[in-house]
């Protein structure tokens, strides 16, 4: 209604100018005088936003739950509750809230990303991967998701897919070469390749070792890393293998 809209706009004006006490009073006045209004769920939700901004997590959660009493399908309230739970590291609750929000926002890329991160933090990597993939399906410009996807693949023991996702991230972020996350992605790729190679050496006798194309590719790339000499050649078995297969004989 026009009545509720006026209070909503006034409350938002106070909110965006950091006049939080005035915003709270505005929304409370509106709720007292507009109990019949169809926008009650929005008023409660916006009140929760103000409390959240003030750091009053408990009151914010109460306001969001009140919003859902008036409209159980109100997506913004489910998302806000999910964000609160995520902030409190209650990832199981965050997952529940984000999944409810997806009921009406199934193509929301940001929502899939948040749900993926909640699954990631509960070590449910298969589901994290699914939602990171859906994030990119709906918004391929969300570059950070490639980084999260690569890490999830790595922790889910899918090294080749991890490298693929991380390399896409690095390529798309090449204009920002000095960003810490780019350096982190490069380091993870290096470690994945190193683990792949050293795990093969661990379980196979050197004389019987079969080099598949992927392993050969990884090792060739590792040989050109400056750190390889210090990190890999110190291992006698690795050193012998490198000398046999990759270093020219005198």
């Amino acid at each position: 209604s026009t009545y509720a809209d006026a209070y909503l706009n006034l409350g938002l004006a106070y909110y965006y100018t950091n006049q939080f006490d005035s915003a709270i009073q505005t929304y409370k006045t509106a709720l007292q005088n507009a109990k019949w209004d169809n926008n009650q769920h929005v008023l409660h939700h916006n009140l929760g936003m103000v409390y959240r901004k003030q750091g009053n997590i408990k009151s914010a959660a109460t306001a969001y739950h009140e919003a859902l009493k008036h409209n159980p399908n109100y997506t913004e309230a489910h998302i806000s509750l999910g964000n609160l739970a995520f902030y409190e590291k209650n990832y199981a609750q965050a997952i529940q809230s984000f999944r409810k929000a997806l009921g009406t926002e199934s193509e929301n890329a940001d929502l899939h990303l948040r749900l993926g991160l909640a699954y990631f933090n509960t070590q449910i990597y298969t589901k994290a991967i699914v939602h990171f993939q859906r994030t990119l399906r709906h918004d391929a410009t969300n570059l950070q998701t490639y980084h999260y996807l690569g890490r999830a693949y790595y922790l889910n023991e899918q090294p080749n897919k991890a490298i693929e996702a991380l390399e896409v991230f690095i390529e798309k972020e090449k204009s920002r070469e000095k960003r810490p996350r780019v350096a982190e992605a490069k380091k993870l790729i290096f470690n994945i390749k190193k683990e792949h190679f050293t795990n093969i050496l661990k379980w196979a006798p050197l004389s019987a070792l079969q080099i598949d194309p992927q392993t050969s590719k990884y090792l060739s790339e590792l040989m050109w890393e400056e750190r390889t000499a210090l990190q890999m050649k110190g291992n006698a078995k690795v050193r012998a293998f490198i000398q046999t297969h990759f270093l020219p004989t005198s």
Side-chain angles (χ1 to χ4, degrees), residues 14-250:
Y14 284 133
Y15 175 82
Y16 288 119
T17 55
N18 297 325
Q19 299 180 67
F20 301 128
D21 290 338
S22 296
I24 290 171
Q25 188 57 50
T26 297
Y27 289 132
K28 285 184 174 181
T29 299
L31 288 167
Q32 289 172 356
N33 294 289
K35 294 181 179 180
W36 43 267
D37 197 279
N38 291 331
N39 283 325
Q40 284 242 324
H41 61 293
V42 183
L43 290 167
H44 279 292
H45 177 264
N46 284 16
L47 178 60
M49 286 172 48
V50 183
Y51 283 132
R52 174 68 182 86
K53 195 74 172 180
Q54 288 186 319
N56 190 340
I57 303 300
K58 184 176 180 180
S59 293
T62 299
Y64 295 147
H65 282 296
E66 284 296 321
L68 290 172
K69 286 181 182 178
H70 291 276
N71 184 350
N73 296 318
Y74 187 38
T75 303
E76 292 301 319
H78 286 301
I79 292 174
S80 294
L81 279 172
N83 289 338
L84 279 184
F86 194 98
Y87 175 78
E88 294 287 302
K89 297 184 179 182
N90 185 350
Y91 300 119
Q93 181 60 54
I95 289 169
Q96 183 178 340
S97 295
F98 290 147
R99 288 186 63 182
K100 288 180 179 178
L102 277 175
T104 55
E105 292 277 346
S106 61
E107 297 184 0
N108 186 320
D110 185 62
L111 189 50
H112 279 293
L113 176 58
R114 296 182 197 200
L115 183 53
L117 289 171
Y119 278 124
F120 184 91
N121 283 307
T122 53
Q123 300 180 9
I124 306 177
Y125 300 121
T126 53
K127 291 189 176 181
I129 289 167
V130 167
H131 288 284
F132 292 151
Q133 290 173 330
R134 289 176 183 173
T135 299
L136 293 169
R137 185 186 309 160
H138 298 302
D139 181 11
T141 66
N142 197 322
L143 302 186
Q144 63 178 336
T145 306
Y146 288 103
H147 187 264
Y148 295 136
L149 180 60
R151 290 174 60 198
Y153 274 133
Y154 170 64
L155 293 168
N156 201 47
E157 299 182 354
Q158 295 174 267
N160 292 340
K161 289 186 176 182
I163 290 173
E164 181 181 344
L166 291 167
E167 286 181 339
V168 170
F169 172 73
I170 292 168
E171 174 62 24
K172 290 181 178 292
E173 288 276 30
K174 61 184 178 182
S175 62
R176 304 172 183 178
E177 189 77 15
K178 295 182 179 180
R179 294 188 67 176
R181 191 158 284 180
V182 173
E184 181 184 330
K186 289 182 177 180
K187 182 176 180 180
L188 181 54
I189 289 174
F190 175 84
N191 287 336
I192 291 171
K193 292 176 179 178
K194 179 183 173 184
E195 287 175 13
H196 175 92
F197 177 65
T198 53
N199 282 339
I200 289 176
L201 286 181
K202 181 178 179 181
W203 299 110
L206 189 60
S207 59
L209 193 60
Q210 299 296 315
I211 301 302
D212 61 275
Q214 189 71 60
T215 301
S216 179
K217 176 177 180 291
Y218 286 174
L219 185 56
S220 296
E221 293 168 351
L222 286 171
M223 284 293 294
W224 294 103
E225 290 279 350
E226 291 182 2
R227 292 168 295 180
T228 301
L230 294 176
Q231 296 188 28
M232 296 186 68
K233 289 187 179 180
N235 181 302
K237 193 173 185 181
V238 174
R239 183 169 60 253
F241 181 84
I242 290 173
Q243 289 173 340
T244 301
H245 292 273
F246 288 90
L247 298 182
T249 57
S250 55

